Amino acid sequence: MAWPAPDVKDWQRFAKEEWHKRNSDARMVLNPLQEQALWAGIVKEKNSEAARLESPRQRLAAIAMEAHRLICSYAPQYLNPKVRSTWQQDAGAFSDWLTAFDEECRSRECVGSARLALELTSALEMDSSRREALLLAGFDRILPAQANLFRAWGLWSEVENGEPAGEVSFFEADDTREELAACALWCRGELEANPEKRLLVMTQNAAAQRGEIERALLRYAIPAGSISAGAPLFEFSLGVPLAQTALGRGALLTLQWLGEAITENEMDWLFSTGQIATNDAEASALTACMRELRRLDLQQTEWTLTQWMAQRKADLLLPVAWIRRLTETKRELEERVRSTRRPMDWAELAQKLLELAGWPGGRALGSEEFQVTERLKGVMEECAALGFDGRRISWRDFLSDLKRAADQALFAPQSKDAPILIAGPAETAGLTVDGIWFLGASEDAWPAAGEMHPFLPINVQREARMPHARAQFDWELAQAMTARLLTSAPIVNFSYARQGDDVEARPSRVIASIAGTARPLPAKLRTRDDSEAATEAWTDESQVPFPGGRVRGGSSVLTAQSQCPFKAFAGARLGADKWDP
């Protein structure tokens, strides 16, 4: 009450809440899954050759959604079908889909999230009441739809940039490994000087480099005595797909196995995690049964749950309680799977099946694992909302929707205020820290390259200045984001690797125009002294005696030799073809 917190909202939330305040009808705002389902239905109805299979159809729907979003954000005049009358080929097909999408939204009384800003602008223009001033933070560029909305709102301004960085450097590393190590050593030095510092590591390729970045930071960046036991050293701002988390993958495999076959290696993984075992004894019994099957050479490429419980040795090795529990769970599914149902019914059944099967196992969940289970419940609720149009689907279709939703949903654990944050350039808008290291500042990566949208005419994209329509547009955005970075911290380092992915890279001209020519890494940021020999000579005098006589294996030794020399040596000479010993 004494000091009210500012009402800070992201762009999407702001537009949605203000639209709801002024919306006089009862239209529903589609969530991304609902909107993609609507587009997929339209693509299928238009008899596209590429839309006969589910996966290509969903891909086309996602591309169409993106084209719709670009039109709403950059060129809303093309929402009028008459203005699109000259569009041909792929653009003409998309124009027909967009007309059908508008008709579907009108008939179902719903609206896509990309339209909210446009409708809100119209509502604000007819509302003459006084509104509080808006303060914008972190907008690297204001899109035409946003600019129109802000003008209709009235008073608004942008947060002023801070002082430019006093120390700006541009480093050149031999390869990506050396670049990551240098960044980690710099982080360590900064935290040893002041443990209270907050550092930002930026990269365009955080998802692909996640493992490499983690290893480099864990190896080189831990300051001596600066980080208390158990406290995280770093965290990623961008999460990973929910389907790639251990519990997310385990839940999807469990639901799939109840109705159809899964591969043997997927079973191995599921058993090793203990997610369908209520105790350690059950988990050990499941893995022991798999070992026995392989000893008897009874392994298969795929297993259904029924085949697994009916195979030889199952009655001796599998726990009776586990068989009874999974049989009851499978029977629960089979009683309902014969007919189509509402997505809401399938979502409720999916949660019940996981509970009956014993997922996520008998052990206590940690904080991050509990957050994964809650995120999965939220995704199931989003899939349940696919019944907004009254559709009834099969269990297989619902499971396909759930897998796709889990692949699209990102999971990031709750922030623990780690001193090092790893993020992408766009995610750091509005953020201020004590120091920044920008990885991968090569000519190919910065400005970020991309392709023009395949469903929109080239001249439309260029006139509206859409992303990647011209190289100049990407250059200007990169310049704006770089200028913003230089006011976000007193120390800003850029770096790039000369050698990466078997090709030579050149420094980014955007960075070079600001930070000067890239220079070699200083000695304090190198992990080894280049003057010392990197190769150590060593003579291997050990020998494995050749037994003589007839060689075991026959032609299979030659086959193994062609696949891998060590495989042939291990099997024929070391006798390592049997795994039990």
Side-chain angles (χ1 to χ4, degrees), residues 288-501:
C289 188
M290 181 66 80
R291 284 198 302 271
E292 182 65 13
L293 280 179
R294 289 185 174 136
R295 190 184 69 81
L296 298 173
D297 201 23
L298 297 176
Q299 60 267 27
Q300 298 178 186
T301 304
E302 292 182 334
W303 289 90
T304 65
L305 182 58
T306 302
Q307 289 174 327
W308 172 252
M309 292 191 292
Q311 43 85 12
R312 195 182 353 156
K313 298 288 185 180
D315 55 342
L316 299 178
L317 294 176
L318 292 178
V320 176
W322 185 88
I323 295 177
R324 185 185 303 115
R325 188 173 71 251
L326 270 294
T327 301
E328 179 185 350
T329 306
K330 184 173 177 61
R331 187 182 302 116
E332 183 76 21
L333 174 62
E334 290 174 343
E335 290 176 356
R336 307 191 191 186
V337 78
R338 297 183 182 91
S339 60
T340 58
R341 296 178 180 271
R342 298 177 303 168
M344 181 181 298
D345 298 330
W346 289 130
E348 293 175 355
L349 177 63
Q351 295 191 43
K352 182 178 180 181
L353 292 176
L354 289 175
E355 184 178 347
L356 290 174
W359 181 87
R363 61 183 180 83
L365 298 179
S367 173
E368 185 171 326
E369 292 175 319
F370 176 77
Q371 294 174 51
V372 172
T373 61
E374 293 299 305
R375 184 74 175 96
L376 183 62
K377 290 179 182 178
V379 169
M380 287 187 179
E381 291 175 359
E382 292 176 6
C383 290
L386 288 172
F388 72 101
D389 55 357
R391 70 179 64 188
R392 299 175 70 88
I393 59 176
S394 66
W395 167 254
R396 176 170 291 187
D397 288 340
F398 172 78
L399 198 56
S400 177
D401 290 334
L402 180 60
K403 289 179 180 178
R404 186 170 57 256
D407 281 328
Q408 296 174 356
L410 294 179
F411 169 76
Q414 185 178 3
S415 175
K416 297 182 179 179
D417 197 27
I420 303 174
L421 176 67
I422 301 99
E427 303 157 31
T428 60
L431 187 65
T432 56
V433 291
D434 297 305
I436 296 175
W437 188 295
F438 191 113
L439 295 166
S442 65
E443 189 175 47
D444 293 336
W446 195 252
E451 297 179 352
M452 301 178 69
H453 201 284
F455 283 176
L456 299 177
I458 294 177
N459 63 309
V460 170
Q461 297 186 60
R462 288 177 173 170
E463 289 173 3
R465 302 179 66 85
M466 292 184 184
H468 314 306
R470 291 186 187 275
Q472 181 64 27
F473 301 158
D474 295 339
W475 177 278
E476 292 171 357
L477 178 60
Q479 278 187 320
M481 297 178 78
T482 305
R484 182 251 299 168
L485 289 178
L486 294 175
T487 62
S488 300
I491 303 174
V492 180
N493 298 316
F494 301 94
S495 66
Y496 86 102
R498 286 199 307 268
Q499 188 74 25
D501 297 330

Side-chain angles (χ1 to χ4, degrees), residues 246-260:
L247 290 182
R249 184 188 182 199
L252 294 174
L253 283 178
T254 301
L255 292 174
Q256 180 181 345
W257 201 26
L258 291 172
E260 55 189 77

Side-chain angles (χ1 to χ4, degrees), residues 122-133:
S122 300
L124 291 173
E125 290 173 345
M126 294 185 293
D127 182 7
S128 59
S129 61
R130 180 178 175 81
R131 290 173 283 270
E132 294 183 0

